Structure formats: structure tokens, C-alpha cells
Amino acid sequence: MSTFLSAEWRKLAMANYAIDPDILKAFVPYKTELDTWNNTCYVSLVGFMFLQTKLLGMKIPGHVNFEEVNLRFYVRYKEGNNWKRGVVFIKEIVPKTMIAWVANNVYGENYEALPMRHNWQLGTDKQIVSYGWKKQQWHEMIIHASSTPQDITTGSEAEFITEHYWGYTQTGLSKTGEYEVQHPRWQTYEVTDYTISVDFELSYGPVFGFLNNWHPRSVLLAEGSAIKVLSGKRIR
């Protein structure tokens, strides 16, 4: 497969909510099934920076560095005797109209272009990372963490959240789009505090409004890395 997009994904703030799997059934793409960790189904609110972005090997002026925030959940797809573990996006928010158009029309994703902001305060012993977006009002996630990276433990919840390397999108009644995301295993930082000031109903629709009153099961901050998104294919 050729590389469709390359970039760095940095400072990934992840708020992970345990959820009733029945809520997600309508969003599960054809031929995939929900993936769980310790019999728990998760949705994750994820904010991060795209840096040094290239589309088909080219930097597009004004579209090299930008924020993204998404709400996603986890699925798996069996190809032959092997399971592929992937994510499905409820919606991805970016500040760039062209990025949203390409993602919606090439990959069939659900992108929305909105005003966005971020703030990184990076110290020698602690850091504060925040991502915000404006839809009727400003929504924001803020993570306080240490500045010492640590390896992700094998078999841990953090491994489950970060180690999904495929994206799946429903592209028709009996069609699913699949694409691969390549990156090395990430490191995380110890989270010491966080604030989630988000109206999930405004941002992601009435189905997810209940998250306004829920606390995340866990909050992570991953350093991230260089990544490649490979050209996709259709599953029928």
C-alpha cells in the first residue's frame, strides 16, 4: 500500500469512558465487531497535534501543523485467521476545511471543521497540555502530567487504547473502508490532574450527551511519534 498521509502525532490527550456496548452497535461498520479490554467497552475523547503533515508526499501550505480532537471507539476485524484491531471515529474535528473535505470524501470519515486552539506548557518536571474547539461555545480538555516518559505495560489498558493500528469506516450498506496507520509503540506520561469541559451533545450528538455527567475511567497523555496513513481498501 502507498502512503496517503504522513505526519507526526504529538501530545495525545486521551480521556477514556466505559460505555454500554449497546449504545455503539449502530455505529459498528460492516464485518467488524466491538473490541473490549477486560470485558469493558470504551469510547475515547482524543486531542493531539498534527505536525509536519504531508499529503501524498507534499506539504500543503497552511495545512502542515494543526489540532485534531476526535471521539472514537474500538473494533476488530477478522481477516483469514488473524484479527486486526482498529478504531472507528464518531467524529473528528479539525480547524482546516480542506482536511475535513479530503477525509470525508476520500475515506468516508465524519470530519467537521471548527475553530480550534491548543496550549502546551512544557517544563522539566511537569507539563500542561490542552486542546479546545468552538461549537456554539468553547469546549476544552486539559491534562496535567509529569515530563518523564514511561513505557506502556504489556496487557494494560493503556496498551489497549494506543495499540490499534487500523481504521474502519462504514461506506455503504454492505461495505466498510479499511486503512492502516503505522507508528512505533508510544510512551506515556503520568497524569496528575485533568479537566474535561465538553458538551458532548453539542459536539457529537444526543446519543453521547450522557457523557456530560460521566467521569472517564482513565486519562492518558501519550508522546506520540511520526505516523503514516496508508491508502485504504474496501471490505465487502
Side-chain angles (χ1 to χ4, degrees):
M1 290 286 185
S2 60
T3 299
F4 175 73
L5 180 146
S6 63
E8 293 182 24
W9 289 351
R10 293 293 179 181
K11 303 297 182 185
L12 294 98
M14 303 174 168
N16 309 302
Y17 296 82
I19 189 172
D20 182 344
D22 287 341
I23 294 171
L24 296 174
K25 285 183 177 178
F27 299 94
V28 176
Y30 176 68
K31 286 195 174 180
T32 69
E33 62 182 55
L34 289 171
D35 197 6
T36 62
W37 183 78
N38 280 4
N39 297 315
T40 301
C41 184
Y42 287 88
V43 292
S44 297
L45 180 69
V46 181
F48 62 100
M49 285 296 295
F50 268 90
L51 300 176
Q52 303 302 318
T53 305
K54 295 181 181 179
L55 190 65
L56 299 175
M58 298 180 292
K59 289 185 177 180
I60 310 299
H63 295 76
V64 176
N65 303 322
F66 55 92
E67 302 91 347
E68 177 175 318
V69 172
N70 63 63
L71 187 69
R72 73 186 199 183
F73 66 95
Y74 305 91
V75 298
R76 60 181 190 167
Y77 165 66
K78 194 170 188 179
E79 185 174 70
N81 294 320
N82 298 316
W83 285 102
K84 294 180 175 180
R85 303 178 72 185
V87 301
V88 177
F89 295 102
I90 301 298
K91 182 188 289 184
E92 296 165 85
I93 298 170
V94 293
K96 304 294 185 180
T97 301
M98 190 187 78
I99 295 292
W101 186 92
V102 170
N104 290 340
N105 288 277
V106 174
Y107 280 101
E109 297 283 10
N110 182 20
Y111 268 69
E112 185 174 13
L114 294 172
M116 298 190 74
R117 65 191 183 193
H118 79 282
N119 185 31
W120 291 357
Q121 299 177 41
L122 308 180
T124 56
D125 59 349
K126 62 182 179 180
Q127 57 185 315
I128 303 173
V129 174
S130 70
Y131 299 100
W133 63 100
K134 188 175 185 180
K135 187 168 187 177
Q136 299 185 28
Q137 63 192 47
W138 277 102
H139 311 263
E140 197 158 40
M141 58 190 310
I142 305 169
I143 308 295
H144 297 247
S146 75
S147 294
T148 303
Q150 53 194 12
D151 293 336
I152 293 175
T153 303
T154 300
S156 65
E157 180 196 55
E159 181 186 58
F160 173 82
I161 296 297
T162 59
E163 296 284 298
H164 283 75
Y165 291 96
W166 299 88
Y168 293 99
T169 307
Q170 187 78 41
T171 58
L173 186 61
S174 299
K175 298 178 184 177
T176 295
E178 177 194 76
Y179 57 92
E180 184 179 2
V181 180
Q182 296 182 342
H183 65 76
R185 191 176 177 92
W186 289 335
Q187 291 183 307
T188 58
Y189 301 95
E190 181 184 2
V191 173
T192 57
D193 197 8
Y194 68 88
T195 302
I196 309 294
S197 300
V198 174
D199 188 320
F200 284 88
E201 182 169 354
L202 276 178
S203 296
Y204 300 104
V207 172
F208 298 97
F210 72 94
L211 292 174
N212 291 347
N213 301 313
W214 281 37
H215 295 291
R217 176 71 62 90
S218 65
V219 177
L220 303 172
L221 180 63
E223 175 55 41
S225 67
I227 64 95
K228 291 182 179 180
V229 178
L230 304 189
S231 300
K233 69 176 185 179
R234 293 288 183 265
I235 298 170
R236 300 174 184 268

